[in-house]
Amino acid sequence: MTYAIDVRGLTKKFGNQVVLDRLDVTVPTGSIHAVLGPNGAGKTTFINVLTTLVRPDSGTAAVGGSDVVARAAEVRRRISVTGQNAAVDDVLTARENLTMMARLLGLTRAESRVRTDELLERFALDEAAKKRVSTFSGGMRRRLDLAISLICRPQIVFLDEPTTGLDTRSRRTLWDEVQRLRTEGVTILLTTQYLDEADALADEISVLDRGRVVARGTPAQLKAQVGSDIVEVRNERGVLVHELHTDGTPRDVIDVLSASGVQDAGIVTIRRPTLDDVFLAVTSETGSRHDGARATREVAS
Amino acid sequence: MTTIEMGTRRVPPAGNADLVFIDRSIRHSLRDGEGLLMAILLPVFMMGLFVYVFGGAMSFAGDEGYVSYIVPGIIIMCAGFGASSTATLVAGDLQTGIVDRFRTMPIRGSAVLTGHVVASVLRNLVATTVIIVVGLVAGFRPSADPLGWLGALVIITVYITTITMLFAAIGLVAGSIEAANAYGFVLLFLPYLSSGFVPVDTMPSWLQWVAQYQPITPVIESIRSLLMGGDAGSDALVAMIWCAGILVVAIAWSSVTFTRKAGRR
């Protein structure tokens, strides 16, 4: 098996704070890997190391077979990054952004024009091509951001929280594009705070918590750890009084409810597990604490 | 359709990134309506202020008149204002994260600074032209030969490049647009403490010392001599040494800071 991304024992500290703690992550060529974690888990630092922006303190990281420190220039020729804050040039138009990046990458004027037209069309930006990016919606910015990163047909694409802050429709569009990239043979590493995003896109997920991988596996394996769906029971005033695990079948829901001894249920809803649930499940197994997840579970009773 | 396939990406010619970034920064400058307006209005206001408000009280100026005396000072002062926007533009590029994107590309990321510096020099040369034209209208009577003009232009361009590079370094260090503005402000006062607007010997003795030995005085003195048909002499040499020294420090400071700030948004 060849790995497009091969990370061993990767550690990074900022001052005394350990941001990445002995990470091991391997991503097979052509697959999508999601790094799932809350804010401050170290996701962006991880991407920064893999994209040659930040030097690790110890451990190794190879991208496309090249070490990110020793052979940074080779890595940069194979990758592209789409940042959390959609780093595009606000003053320029969408077309100018694409052309500028294409020219930077050494395409000729004519090639830049052809590639720019292709990408504008592919990302449904052709109508807005001549508008300044400062007038764009969040979804349009992300689409342009991704379009820019595809100019030179990278082998490995890094997406740092590609859909944070987007509306549902823009999110779907971006998901479709990510899936399309995979069919073109591109390896993708994305970070996200949303389990459903990792679930929808990833072949494999690493759950990151305070710089450590606390769980890894396919989406199905991780959800199995959570114990599938959750029944929420609220009283008449809408206050959450119980959270119960279920496999989602009507029979199991009834069984779970009656076994719990819930008497005064006002409203019962069934929901999919969220990132918090995954965290609670994996961190309680590994024995570490996760205050954020726990806090949301301490519901009124 | 397209023929640009994976792996066929060629190595761009040397200086390619610099040219692309110069193009970018010029576009930025042309689209910054307020900035352009200020670049033109500030020299006009300054000239009006010094000639018509302060000028009447200035009795030291000899045959050439006060307008001829202050043109170099106004040029240098406005160059400071014009170059200071480089600090905010550089800080902005760091803040938005676009610099980090450039760093992950197979290019020399610091070429983005080249773009800012070249655009600033061009903007300020336009402002300099405005000052000279307004000066001529207000009574500036230069007596330089073509060589004198060329010499003055060289010194002005070197000075603009130097101060722009210094502001670029400040922008890199500042970390935010607001901080970049605040730090840069100090530099804008230096022209007042020089021979730009009054002869140094009219100042109290402690201030004379500051005015005499700060870098802007020889720059202004040499420009003035050249424009008025005189010989810049040692002033030109001192001015060039000052600029070269500051330029080296600013470039070194910028490159160290630029590297250190990778991924540290």
Side-chain angles (χ1 to χ4, degrees):
Chain A
M1 173 94 68
T2 58
Y3 294 118
I5 299 169
D6 192 345
V7 175
R8 312 268 168 180
L10 192 72
T11 300
K12 179 70 193 173
K13 291 177 195 165
F14 288 132
N16 287 330
Q17 197 196 350
V18 180
V19 185
L20 299 176
D21 190 2
R22 289 160 291 167
L23 290 191
D24 296 313
V25 175
T26 49
V27 182
T29 303
S31 69
I32 301 183
H33 192 96
V35 175
L36 180 67
N39 286 329
K43 302 190 298 290
T44 298
T45 304
F46 185 46
I47 290 223
N48 283 348
V49 171
L50 293 179
T51 58
T52 75
L53 286 176
V54 168
R55 289 171 76 102
D57 294 326
S58 61
T60 60
V63 172
S66 302
D67 186 86
V68 293
V69 178
R71 293 171 174 272
E74 276 174 28
V75 172
R76 288 181 192 140
R77 276 195 284 275
R78 298 198 186 103
I79 62 164
S80 74
V81 194
T82 299
Q84 186 172 359
N85 298 319
V88 290
D89 192 322
D90 262 356
V91 178
L92 301 182
T93 66
R95 173 178 290 282
E96 286 171 330
N97 264 285
L98 283 161
T99 311
M100 173 177 74
M101 298 295 182
R103 300 280 291 142
L104 281 176
L105 291 164
L107 273 66
T108 65
R109 229 169 263 280
E111 288 168 341
S112 300
R113 194 161 43 234
V114 172
R115 192 77 181 117
T116 296
D117 284 337
E118 275 178 10
L119 287 166
L120 285 171
E121 201 195 326
R122 170 165 171 180
F123 285 90
L125 290 165
D126 31 4
E127 275 177 33
K130 288 183 179 166
K131 287 190 185 143
R132 285 198 205 181
V133 175
S134 53
T135 65
F136 278 23
S137 69
M140 286 163 80
R141 292 175 68 94
R142 299 292 173 96
R143 275 175 5 236
L144 176 62
D145 193 17
L146 189 55
I148 287 171
S149 65
L150 299 186
I151 287 169
C152 256
R153 304 179 194 280
Q155 298 164 20
I156 299 147
V157 172
F158 294 91
L159 304 168
D160 191 10
E161 302 204 14
T163 65
T164 299
L166 289 193
D167 61 46
T168 315
R169 202 165 137 230
S170 304
R171 238 178 138 206
R172 290 280 167 190
T173 315
L174 224 79
W175 285 7
D176 290 344
E177 278 304 328
V178 173
Q179 270 152 345
R180 176 170 162 187
L181 274 181
R182 198 227 324 245
T183 64
E184 293 171 4
V186 177
T187 308
I188 296 158
L189 184 136
L190 66 92
T191 67
T192 181
Q193 307 186 36
Y194 310 117
L195 180 64
D196 64 333
E197 183 158 292
D199 190 9
L201 297 175
D203 300 304
E204 205 175 15
I205 300 173
S206 293
V207 180
L208 199 62
D209 181 34
R210 298 178 186 190
R212 298 181 56 198
V213 174
V214 292
R216 81 184 74 218
T218 64
Q221 287 167 340
L222 278 182
K223 277 186 290 184
Q225 275 183 287
V226 181
S228 65
D229 294 3
I230 289 150
V231 182
E232 288 183 342
V233 183
R234 291 170 196 280
N235 65 18
E236 294 80 358
R237 286 167 295 151
V239 178
L240 186 61
V241 289
H242 283 286
E243 281 192 340
L244 310 161
H245 289 280
T246 169
D247 64 13
T249 58
R251 166 139 303 273
D252 188 60
V253 172
I254 292 163
D255 287 350
V256 162
L257 277 173
S258 42
S260 72
V262 173
Q263 301 290 320
D264 56 348
I267 309 155
V268 171
T269 46
I270 303 170
R271 65 169 174 84
R272 310 279 301 149
T274 66
L275 177 56
D276 277 345
D277 302 311
V278 174
F279 266 109
L280 191 74
V282 296
T283 54
S284 60
E285 271 171 32
T286 57
S288 79
R289 267 161 35 84
H290 190 274
D291 299 337
R294 197 145 291 174
T296 62
R297 302 278 299 199
E298 284 165 3
V299 290
S301 53
Chain B
M1 280 305 283
T2 180
T3 53
I4 310 146
E5 291 304 330
M6 188 146 74
T8 62
R9 186 184 334 195
R10 77 230 61 188
V11 179
N16 173 66
D18 299 85
L19 289 176
V20 175
F21 284 126
I22 290 169
D23 177 75
R24 165 180 186 252
S25 290
I26 291 175
R27 281 174 201 267
H28 276 231
S29 298
L30 292 176
R31 277 171 210 184
D32 176 18
E34 289 168 21
L36 274 184
L37 197 65
M38 269 305 284
I40 294 165
L41 285 185
L42 186 72
V44 177
F45 286 154
M46 285 298 164
M47 197 64 97
L49 182 69
F50 278 93
V51 172
Y52 300 112
V53 180
F54 303 148
M58 301 293 179
S59 52
F60 66 87
D63 310 334
E64 293 129 9
Y66 190 55
V67 181
S68 297
Y69 185 82
I70 59 164
V71 163
I74 303 265
I75 289 174
I76 294 309
M77 187 179 63
C78 289
F81 278 109
S84 68
S85 60
T86 307
T88 30
L89 291 169
V90 169
D93 271 359
L94 283 184
Q95 215 170 13
T96 59
I98 200 159
V99 167
D100 276 343
R101 165 167 245 149
F102 296 143
R103 287 182 217 262
T104 63
M105 294 166 68
I107 58 168
R108 186 174 57 84
S110 59
V112 69
L113 297 179
T114 316
H116 285 303
V117 171
V118 171
S120 164
V121 171
L122 293 177
R123 280 197 311 269
N124 284 301
L125 287 177
V126 171
T128 301
T129 310
V130 171
I131 294 167
I132 291 173
V133 169
V134 173
L136 289 171
V137 171
F140 172 42
R141 296 291 172 261
S143 44
D145 56 10
L147 210 62
W149 277 104
L150 186 68
L153 181 67
V154 168
I155 293 176
I156 291 168
T157 309
V158 169
Y159 176 77
I160 293 172
T161 310
T162 305
I163 191 150
T164 299
M165 204 60 228
L166 200 54
F167 275 115
I170 289 169
L172 285 171
V173 172
S176 76
I177 294 171
E178 294 75 16
N181 258 328
Y183 294 143
F185 203 66
V186 180
L187 280 180
L188 301 179
F189 271 103
L190 277 182
Y192 296 106
L193 308 179
S194 75
S195 65
F197 304 102
V198 294
V200 170
D201 55 26
T202 62
M203 299 177 186
S205 55
W206 59 273
L207 198 56
Q208 278 187 31
W209 193 86
V210 175
Q212 197 65 59
Y213 294 104
Q214 67 127 318
I216 287 176
T217 295
V219 172
I220 287 175
E221 286 299 319
S222 53
I223 296 170
R224 184 183 291 135
S225 303
L226 289 165
L227 288 182
M228 301 318 292
D231 180 6
S234 64
D235 280 333
L237 185 67
V238 175
M240 287 298 106
I241 292 172
W242 263 116
C243 287
I246 296 171
L247 205 51
V248 167
V249 171
I251 289 172
W253 192 21
S254 298
S255 54
V256 169
T257 315
F258 189 84
T259 312
R260 194 167 50 80
K261 292 250 167 154
R264 290 293 203 97
R265 188 146 30 104

